[in-house]
Amino acid sequence: MMSADRKLFTLVATLIGVSIVLSYTLTQYTVLLFGVNEFHFVIRQSIFGFLSLVIMFGLSQLDPDVWLNRIGFTLFFGSLVLMIAMPFLPESVVSEVGGAKRWIKVAGFSLAPVEFFKVGFIYFLAWSFSRKLGHHDGMGLKREFQRFAPYALIFVGSMFIIAFLQKDLGQVVVLGLTLLFMLIFAGSSFKFFFSILGGIATAIVIFILTAEHRILRIKSWWALAQNSVLGLLPESVASKLRVPVEVEPYQIGHSLNAIHNGGFFGTGLGNGTFKLGFLSEVHTDFVLAGLAEEFGFVGVLFVVSLFMWILQRIFKIANRAEDTKIYLFSIGIGLILAFSFMVNAYGISGITPIKGLSVPFLSYGGSAMLGASFGIGMVLMASKKAKMDERG
């Protein structure tokens, strides 16, 4: 059996290194706000980064024929049970923020089971799709829907837990897009693809309309985007779609100003100004805006190039794999990382509403980094069965 893909491990380790630097330089105001040591966040991020490297390296050494199923199903069913149980657990065990119980307290840290569930969910889909899907020729749309029904029930049940009990629509959007595109790679027809796309879009609209805070978030985003869009329409139509200026999203406004302030080369390490109370906890959801201000277009280009290279390695492993399960799982991990990055980038630049999603391996936070490290570690484990040449 071949060795795991070293380039992928090195690229992810580099991105984690960048996140540790950002967790220090972007938290100057936050440490004062919370009254903690100036190295509080960088120490914690370093711990998470080290554990992530250990997880990825450890998983890469395991036999994929033995351990992929064990780890994948443990993440799927274990995280699902935890998410179901969390609303009924006491506050001494589960942290509640904004009326949602998303984090379990473990040894002074808070971990979100949904970050590990995503990896397990992708593995479950890859395992199941490799057994049952594909070869749709002549099957017909009705038969495809019948074949998809069990997955739809699992997806709807899981999304109910994430969207309603944990109030995390952003994760639903990313998982829905990942499921949708995995169906295409698993061999479903384009007619079925667009039918499911319409269903997911309808579900997202329902989720938005059933929660006041999501409606306000849409209005806040539209307040920023309306001028460029409504200018193309007749005034009689535009006046009916225009929302009051007072709901203008100050977070997005400060994010755009931070990006503009960075220019081409940035203000320099530690010299950003919008992290000083203008953008709340910029080291998490708005880390790309903080990066753009201090490192400019060059810094953003470096991170985007690094991220694209990571995706290229993942998709190359998928392409070289002879095992359909490994192919679909690698595709799924690449897709969920890509969609998470895109949703965050579009949100902080005002193109779409903010979803509260972190940037994989870059934003501060242990759950997202550790969860993603399990995904990358399993891909590294699987890469030992892919035909990767030494130069590859």
Side-chain angles (χ1 to χ4, degrees), residues 219-220 222-224 226 230 238-247:
K219 288 182 177 180
S220 179
W222 181 243
L224 183 72
Q226 62 181 347
L230 298 182
S239 60
K240 297 179 180 179
L241 298 175
R242 189 171 285 110
V243 299
V245 178
E246 57 263 24
V247 300

Side-chain angles (χ1 to χ4, degrees), residues 5 12 36 57 77 88 90 99 106 124 128 131 143 165 250 320 326 333 345-346 388:
D5 188 73
V12 175
V36 295
F57 180 79
F77 290 109
F88 309 101
V106 180
F124 171 78
S128 193
R131 291 156 53 91
R143 176 57 182 155
L165 299 184
Y250 71 93
R320 299 286 179 90
I326 290 176
I333 292 297
Y346 288 171
M388 306 288 286

Side-chain angles (χ1 to χ4, degrees), residues 64 158 164 166 176 288 310 343:
S158 302
F164 284 105
Q166 300 194 349
L288 288 176
I310 290 172
V343 169

